Amino acid sequence: MVKIKTSEEIELMRESALVVSKTLGMLASEIKPGVNALYLDKLAEDYIREQGAEPGFLGMYDFPNTLNMSPNAQVVHGIPNKEPLKEGDILSVDCGALKNGYYGDHAYTFPIGEIDPETEKLLRVTKESLYIGIREFKIGNRVGDVGYAIQNYCEGHGYGVVRELVGHGLGKKLHEAPEMPNYGKRGRGKKFLEGMVVAIEPMINGGTRRIKQLKDGWTILTADGKPSAHFEHNVAIVNGKPELLSTFQYIYEALGVDSDEENEFRQSKLVL
């Protein structure tokens, strides 16, 4: 059952989402060749706690860390380790935080130094598909409209859209109804209502859509070993339209990137 949020609850969720946004922004300055994921994971745990929040993933379903960190051909749910990042890698960082009883949960895929043009295109198209999907999250539409928009765009570029892993509702639980697949048919699925809050998160593979799982019970990889990208935002329906609760602007500020990609999804100015 979908749990509709009041305007007060949405503002509390914005606080939770911004803890994650700020954490990803802090990490953006630290993610570079030679650094290992365990080091980044400890930085994130400490930072989240300093913000008066708790790591949302640590211990959930027995997950052992604060961050899901998935390099290269890993799609999601990678467990941080001591292997140093290398020039040309990519790293998906998925982070969650619990504050005021509500979860924030979003992700960004970082290039490590200079990456090859094909992988750079995969990251660009996946992030573009995120906003294409968000645009469809509005009154009058349904779950299938978001999934169709993402699938159509990414498959149009020859990429594989993962089926087994999907976005989700968000609130007092990390995973609430409805499920938000990155594929679908227009006009199908749960109807969107004022006050719904979801995590939209394209997981897009550079080759086949098929995946496999490591024996650790967590790490998901592409079946063909090609890279995968993952971008995620938390979005509410406010005044019938999609309103971003999360932001990548802290990442862009750390990296010196100028972007207006989020402007159309903000009904009030974000103060960094």
Side-chain angles (χ1 to χ4, degrees):
M1 177 175 146
V2 174
K3 296 182 179 178
I4 300 301
K5 302 337 187 263
T6 65
S7 57
E8 292 79 12
E9 287 178 305
I10 288 172
E11 289 311 307
L12 288 174
M13 293 192 68
R14 193 191 305 274
E15 287 186 36
S16 303
L18 289 177
V19 170
V20 178
S21 299
K22 291 175 182 177
T23 303
L24 293 174
M26 178 274 295
L27 292 172
S29 301
E30 300 286 341
I31 295 174
K32 60 190 72 171
V35 170
N36 71 67
L38 268 179
Y39 167 76
L40 298 170
D41 187 75
K42 183 63 168 67
L43 286 181
E45 179 180 353
D46 292 346
Y47 186 84
I48 289 169
R49 296 191 190 282
E50 288 168 6
Q51 304 302 306
E54 298 175 21
F57 298 165
L58 182 61
M60 181 169 285
Y61 314 124
D62 294 325
F63 188 74
N65 294 88
T66 292
L67 302 173
N68 291 167
M69 305 192 80
S70 309
N72 302 322
Q74 292 185 18
V75 182
V76 287
H77 301 165
I79 298 175
N81 59 39
K82 292 183 178 180
E83 186 173 343
L85 298 170
K86 303 187 301 295
E87 182 86 13
D89 285 345
I90 59 172
L91 180 68
S92 169
V93 181
D94 193 356
C95 179
L98 177 64
K99 185 175 183 180
N100 300 320
Y102 292 91
Y103 281 93
D105 165 27
H106 44 285
Y108 193 91
T109 301
F110 294 87
I112 312 301
E114 295 292 324
I115 61 175
D116 67 74
E118 284 189 12
T119 305
E120 187 174 22
K121 181 185 175 186
L122 172 66
L123 268 58
R124 175 177 57 79
V125 169
T126 303
K127 184 150 67 71
E128 288 170 352
S129 79
L130 171 62
Y131 294 108
I132 286 169
I134 290 171
R135 211 167 278 133
E136 299 297 320
F137 182 58
K138 59 186 177 181
I139 296 295
N141 278 3
R142 295 177 180 269
V143 166
D145 295 302
V146 172
Y148 173 84
I150 293 170
Q151 178 184 11
N152 186 59
Y153 188 72
C154 293
E155 289 184 349
H157 285 275
Y159 297 140
V161 179
V162 174
R163 302 291 201 276
E164 294 86 350
L165 303 154
V166 298
H168 51 88
L170 192 67
K172 289 186 175 181
K173 293 183 177 180
L174 182 64
H175 299 114
E176 294 185 354
E179 289 191 345
M180 295 290 296
N182 298 304
Y183 60 93
K185 295 184 178 180
R186 288 199 177 280
R188 300 286 181 87
K190 183 70 69 175
K191 192 173 184 178
F192 296 139
L193 303 171
E194 182 78 9
M196 284 179 67
V197 180
V198 300
I200 298 175
E201 50 177 321
M203 290 159 272
I204 309 300
N205 298 342
T208 179
R209 68 176 178 84
R210 303 197 180 280
I211 58 173
K212 58 185 180 181
Q213 188 174 43
L214 290 184
K215 291 180 180 179
D216 63 19
W218 283 102
T219 308
I220 304 294
L221 302 115
T222 60
D224 58 6
K226 291 188 176 181
S228 183
H230 178 208
F231 291 88
E232 178 180 13
H233 266 312
N234 301 155
V235 197
I237 294 184
V238 177
N239 299 322
K241 300 182 292 186
E243 166 81 4
L244 280 183
L245 304 184
S246 54
T247 181
F248 294 152
Q249 289 303 318
Y250 294 103
I251 296 172
Y252 297 151
E253 189 176 66
L255 299 179
V257 174
D258 186 27
S259 172
D260 61 359
E261 67 191 16
E262 298 177 359
N263 288 359
E264 68 177 284
F265 307 111
R266 297 207 180 278
Q267 297 176 45
S268 57
K269 183 175 174 60
L270 178 68
V271 180
L272 293 181

